[in-house]
Amino acid sequence: VNFTVLANGLVVTIPEEDTVEIFSSKKDDPQLKVINDPAISQLMQLHSRGMEVLFSRGNSLYQLKVK
């Protein structure tokens, strides 16, 4: 399972190729945001720094800010 949790409690995961899912870690919160992008790969490692999501693959690092 490849996921990270941001400072505000949002969970970011890559459940399948080309897909990022973002949801709250709060119990019974039904909101789910799905981002589809062919650049997303399950080979990417997820990390967080405060409110930033960091994706690493090989020697490359990518960033995503979640509001």
Side-chain angles (χ1 to χ4, degrees):
V1 177
N2 189 8
F3 74 94
T4 191
V5 181
L6 303 181
N8 65 353
L10 288 179
V11 179
V12 181
T13 185
I14 301 175
E16 58 189 54
E17 287 296 310
D18 306 336
T19 305
V20 172
E21 292 182 352
I22 304 170
F23 57 92
S24 175
S25 62
K26 295 178 184 173
K27 184 180 177 193
D28 298 327
D29 188 336
Q31 290 188 319
L32 172 68
K33 182 171 186 173
V34 178
I35 300 170
N36 294 304
D37 188 325
I40 302 298
S41 167
Q42 287 184 308
L43 298 176
M44 293 178 153
Q45 296 293 313
L46 286 170
H47 312 277
S48 61
R49 180 175 57 194
M51 293 295 295
E52 295 178 323
V53 180
L54 304 172
F55 301 84
S56 63
R57 185 165 83 182
N59 292 329
S60 298
L61 185 64
Y62 307 91
Q63 174 183 307
L64 172 70
K65 289 187 180 179
V66 179
K67 295 181 180 181

